[in-house]
Amino acid sequence: MEAVLDVATSTSTTASMLDQYAELLGEHVVDHLRQLGRLLAGKKVVHVNSTREGGGVAEILYKLIPLMRELDIDATWEVITGDPEFYQCTKTFHNGLQGWNVMPSHKMLAAYEAANERFAQQYADVLSSADFVFIHDPQPAPAITHLPHRQGKWVWRCHIDASRPHRPIWKYLRRFVQHYDASIFSLPEFAQPLPHPQYIIPPSIDPFSEKNMDIPEDEVDAVYDRFGLNRHLPLVTQVSRFDAFKDPVGVIQAYQIAKKIIPLQLVLAGGGASDDPEGEVMLQQVRNAAGDDPDIHVLLLPSDAHRTINALQRASDIVIQKSTKEGFGLTVTEALWKRKPVIGGDVGGIRLQVVDHYTGFLVRTPEGCALRMRYLLHNRERLSEMGARAQRYVKENFLLTRQLREYLALMVGVLRGTQDLIEVG
Amino acid sequence: MDSAGNSELKLRGCSQIALVTGNSATSLRELRDQLKVVPTSSIYQHFWGRLLLPHFAEPEYNNDFASWAFHSLQDKTLAERLSAVNPLDFDSPESLRQELIELVEARLEEREVLSWRQADHPFFFQFAQMVVFDANLRIDDPAKLSDALKHVPEGTIYYHFIDARRRNADHSDDFSNWLRDQGPKWREKADAVSKLDPYFSTLNGIRHRLIATLEH
């Protein structure tokens, strides 16, 4: 509960968040938030996910909740936890929703349902009395079925690339999701047939967070010595959890192909999320693939190494996100914000951010990835142009104020029972 | 006045959230079938509403149908024809729908292979919930309009110059309506503004053309 208190009581540091945004994006952006916020002032909003550290959902909530509170919305954040079988089960859901032919065992499903029942009982008062409950991803999805006397509106927020889910997994989860008042997906292709409105709201980053804020040049420069990088070689980086869908081994293959033509070095930087039990296995596969190449740097960073990741991304010439499935890919947004062209897998949310040939390149193979690395490293002017365009694109579309405005508008729309026009001013 | 009819122009802004209709198409034949049944608000969205959602201004194709035909079906011919459809040429959403269906059917007759070719990526029909804000700006003098337009957010341009055509019975925009009400001196400007075609342009592009017209 400490982190909840951190978030809830951090108004002194967050009082200026809206002002900072007004300075960066214009007064009107914040004024629109305030106009919507007035309609929701005093409402109790509870967000629920399964980890407070590591992963994009936690990062967004850590910033979104103080912003909501600054608008006088009573926003809080709760976390569902479970035993190892619960996490095995939810990781299997994650893999299955992203298309793998997998299904949790009966024992895992029992652990999953039991954890949700326990969570619902433990937080029954908070959840039942809330005006809005945002349930993030499958982990806490069944909690709704244990709270028949809930008073508010419940929204299921799916952050996963569910464009081609393994059908038995979706069939099982749909039993719970169908009870919600609305759902949110990051892209239209992820939406599934459901008996309620389905909103499309892409995630976002906070440009003032430790991970994205401007930092001094010498702090960026320091990563070379700290991680034993070569100052004379171009730096190509992928920042991601060590997860098969992020294809870190494919990135190593791409690097190996490109290196035959152009000298370069590769950083694969990742941390674990506390709800991901498969990270260790993948990390070992990555280390095996890297072998003894001194120009491949596999960095296992703690989940709070935001400033280090910031510096690594800024030190990089190119950022890679060669995922084979991707709900959105906040690391892509982070890199684009830092004026780095991104070579990304031609999948999911990456396709919304990497506009082929404009903000980076979309690729399907290690060969394609290597080709684009070579192209950008040979064409520095083009690399700079793309980087500048990338930052503008993020500024206009993928900052936290846009996501918050859409959440607020959704809440007003759901309260009023409309999906058409909302006039707030 | 809110938008037209009195001496003061109260500027508003807007934004949108997209929702899915539940309809999708994985081939041109399916696109035709879905075009017959989706709500007209969805067709409107794929022509106009896209301007307010996260998107990258694409120089070539200015509606989602044309863009899909090119990028997912690799059919440049159809993409060009769909891109040439100006929604302002149609007096009702239904007639625009009919034009799209006819263009797609004609193309299916021309190239049989398109009947069964699977698109690289399906087309997902969407519609939008619009949120209208007070822009906290009132214009009481037509001479001040161009200066105001230099600073308003893009949502204000969209609301008054594009979405107004859906709200106003005569499909006119709010700016020319208001200018026309400001006396004979402003009739010419009102006519010039009303003749600006907002299609084939970004919201920022529309802003610049409005300003140029007012300051000319």
Side-chain angles (χ1 to χ4, degrees):
Chain A
M1 288 301 290
E2 285 148 8
V4 173
L5 289 174
D6 283 350
V7 168
T9 59
S10 58
T11 47
S12 61
T13 55
T14 60
S16 64
M17 280 178 81
L18 288 172
D19 293 338
Q20 280 184 298
Y21 271 106
E23 193 171 326
L24 178 69
L25 302 172
E27 288 288 342
H28 71 278
V29 171
V30 170
D31 184 58
H32 290 179
L33 294 176
R34 292 194 194 282
Q35 288 184 42
L36 278 165
R38 278 197 283 275
L39 303 176
L40 297 163
K43 298 285 184 201
K44 288 183 182 173
V45 179
V46 184
H47 288 268
V48 182
N49 80 326
S50 62
T51 180
R52 227 175 265 289
E53 288 181 342
V57 180
E59 281 183 28
I60 290 170
L61 290 180
Y62 198 75
K63 291 295 182 177
L64 188 73
I65 286 171
L67 264 180
M68 281 186 157
R69 295 181 69 84
E70 210 173 321
L71 292 169
D72 294 327
I73 296 167
D74 184 6
T76 54
W77 175 10
E78 307 296 352
V79 172
I80 184 171
T81 56
D83 55 23
E85 277 173 332
F86 167 80
Y87 293 109
Q88 286 290 350
C89 182
T90 58
K91 182 68 183 180
T92 307
F93 285 152
H94 188 274
N95 293 341
L97 284 174
Q98 296 204 141
W100 280 9
N101 186 0
V102 288
M103 190 70 200
S105 66
H106 290 298
K107 202 173 166 191
M108 286 183 203
L109 290 175
Y112 172 66
E113 293 183 19
N116 269 276
E117 187 172 358
R118 274 197 309 277
F119 175 77
Q121 285 168 357
Q122 188 180 353
Y123 292 95
D125 291 345
V126 175
L127 296 172
S128 292
S129 64
D131 296 291
F132 283 94
V133 178
F134 284 84
I135 295 288
H136 294 264
D137 286 333
Q139 291 92 330
I144 191 171
T145 58
H146 299 290
L147 297 162
H149 303 299
R150 62 188 181 276
Q151 295 169 11
K153 304 291 186 184
W154 283 54
V155 180
W156 187 59
R157 203 312 177 205
C158 178
H159 295 267
I160 300 169
D161 177 348
S163 50
R164 289 176 182 271
H166 181 49
R167 283 292 150 192
I169 296 258
W170 174 246
K171 191 176 169 190
Y172 172 81
L173 289 172
R174 192 181 189 284
R175 289 166 39 203
F176 309 115
V177 175
Q178 67 184 353
H179 295 288
Y180 286 73
D181 298 288
S183 52
I184 304 172
F185 296 87
S186 297
L187 267 75
E189 44 265 56
F190 300 167
Q192 297 293 326
L194 286 165
H196 56 237
Q198 295 174 70
Y199 291 82
I200 306 303
I201 303 180
S204 60
I205 59 163
D206 174 21
F208 306 111
S209 68
E210 289 274 295
K211 199 188 266 188
N212 296 307
M213 65 196 291
D214 287 337
I215 52 174
E217 274 297 317
D218 57 353
E219 195 173 337
V220 175
D221 189 66
V223 296
Y224 282 94
D225 289 340
R226 182 174 167 196
F227 296 115
L229 306 180
N230 186 334
R231 290 175 186 280
H232 306 293
L233 285 179
L235 175 58
V236 173
T237 300
Q238 174 160 304
V239 177
S240 262
R241 277 185 296 116
F242 293 102
D243 178 314
F245 288 114
K246 311 292 184 188
D247 198 18
V249 174
V251 177
I252 291 174
Q253 289 168 352
Y255 153 85
Q256 288 166 338
I257 296 167
K259 200 181 181 184
K260 289 176 187 167
I261 308 290
I262 188 165
L264 75 163
Q265 61 190 325
L266 173 67
V267 164
L268 290 167
S274 62
D275 59 349
D276 179 7
E278 294 177 356
E280 275 300 319
V281 178
M282 195 66 226
L283 177 61
Q284 198 47 53
Q285 287 181 28
V286 168
R287 283 181 169 145
N288 291 343
D292 55 4
D293 186 331
D295 292 322
I296 299 180
H297 305 268
V298 180
L299 310 179
L300 189 59
L301 301 173
S303 60
D304 61 354
H306 302 310
R307 215 158 159 119
T308 304
I309 289 170
N310 187 341
L312 277 169
Q313 287 169 329
R314 288 180 193 276
S316 303
D317 294 279
I318 303 169
V319 170
I320 311 289
Q321 190 59 57
K322 215 197 87 50
S323 306
T324 56
K325 285 278 183 180
E326 191 63 75
F328 186 69
L330 285 174
T331 51
V332 173
T333 334
E334 292 157 14
L336 296 176
W337 175 246
K338 298 176 182 90
R339 302 166 76 101
K340 306 298 173 185
V342 172
I343 301 173
D346 188 7
V347 294
I350 297 175
R351 299 182 68 232
L352 187 63
Q353 303 185 74
V354 176
V355 184
D356 211 7
H357 296 266
Y358 288 94
T359 61
F361 291 104
L362 293 170
V363 297
R364 299 183 180 189
T365 59
E367 290 81 359
C369 186
L371 177 75
R372 297 311 188 185
M373 283 184 201
R374 285 161 46 191
Y375 174 83
L376 285 172
L377 293 175
H378 274 301
N379 295 277
R380 290 287 176 164
E381 211 169 293
R382 185 104 165 90
L383 189 151
S384 296
E385 281 169 18
M386 278 188 173
R389 208 180 283 132
Q391 190 183 51
R392 277 201 306 278
Y393 187 50
V394 171
K395 186 176 179 183
E396 288 165 8
N397 296 293
F398 300 118
L399 297 187
L400 192 59
T401 41
R402 191 268 310 149
Q403 188 181 358
L404 175 58
R405 188 191 67 221
E406 294 184 338
Y407 273 25
L408 300 179
L410 175 153
M411 289 157 67
V412 174
V414 170
L415 273 182
R416 294 184 179 179
T418 179
Q419 293 149 41
D420 295 325
L421 180 68
I422 299 173
E423 296 196 57
V424 297
Chain B
M1 76 173 198
D2 266 11
S3 52
N6 292 322
S7 60
E8 190 179 71
L9 177 66
K10 175 184 173 183
L11 290 179
R12 293 175 135 188
C14 69
S15 67
Q16 292 192 332
I17 323 179
L19 293 101
V20 292
T21 65
N23 305 78
S24 63
T26 57
S27 68
L28 191 56
R29 188 186 288 268
E30 285 182 16
L31 184 79
R32 177 202 57 192
D33 294 343
Q34 296 298 333
L35 279 170
K36 291 176 180 173
V37 298
V38 293
T40 52
S41 59
S42 179
I43 293 173
Y44 181 88
Q45 180 65 19
H46 291 292
F47 272 91
W48 292 114
R50 68 200 296 264
L51 293 173
L52 281 179
L53 294 174
H55 77 292
F56 195 85
E58 190 179 13
E60 289 169 289
Y61 301 110
N62 45 1
N63 67 64
D64 289 339
F65 303 110
S67 186
W68 181 75
F70 179 73
H71 292 292
S72 291
L73 285 179
Q74 289 85 44
D75 187 352
K76 197 160 188 267
T77 303
L78 179 63
E80 288 175 358
R81 289 177 187 164
L82 287 168
S83 202
V85 175
N86 187 337
L88 297 178
D89 292 341
F90 300 87
D91 56 9
S92 74
E94 281 302 332
S95 58
L96 173 59
R97 180 207 297 273
Q98 207 48 48
E99 173 69 7
L100 294 175
I101 293 168
E102 281 170 18
L103 278 174
V104 170
E105 282 190 335
R107 189 62 183 146
L108 283 167
E109 284 168 13
E110 271 177 12
R111 289 206 71 199
E112 202 183 329
V113 67
L114 288 170
S115 294
W116 49 264
R117 184 194 283 173
Q118 290 290 298
D120 285 352
H121 300 285
F123 187 94
F124 294 93
F125 286 88
Q126 300 176 56
F127 66 107
Q129 174 179 299
M130 179 182 272
V131 187
V132 180
F133 303 97
D134 185 348
N136 299 314
L137 193 59
R138 272 80 169 150
I139 311 290
D140 55 8
D141 177 356
K144 294 178 183 168
L145 180 58
S146 66
D147 263 354
L149 292 180
K150 288 173 188 167
H151 307 292
V152 296
E154 291 185 347
T156 297
I157 306 285
Y158 183 91
Y159 182 78
H160 290 291
F161 201 64
I162 292 176
D163 199 64
R165 296 159 200 264
R166 187 161 60 159
R167 296 191 310 273
N168 297 334
D170 60 354
H171 305 303
S172 58
D173 70 276
D174 290 340
F175 297 135
S176 59
N177 267 353
W178 181 71
L179 287 169
R180 201 164 281 122
D181 285 348
Q182 304 309 306
K185 185 182 160 193
W186 292 98
R187 294 273 159 80
E188 200 178 322
K189 288 288 183 204
D191 290 344
V193 166
S194 72
K195 282 178 187 155
L196 289 178
D197 188 342
Y199 203 54
F200 306 110
S201 187
T202 62
L203 291 172
N204 225 15
I206 294 168
R207 179 207 305 275
H208 291 308
R209 286 165 59 213
L210 280 167
I211 293 166
T213 304
L214 289 166
E215 292 183 347
H216 180 66

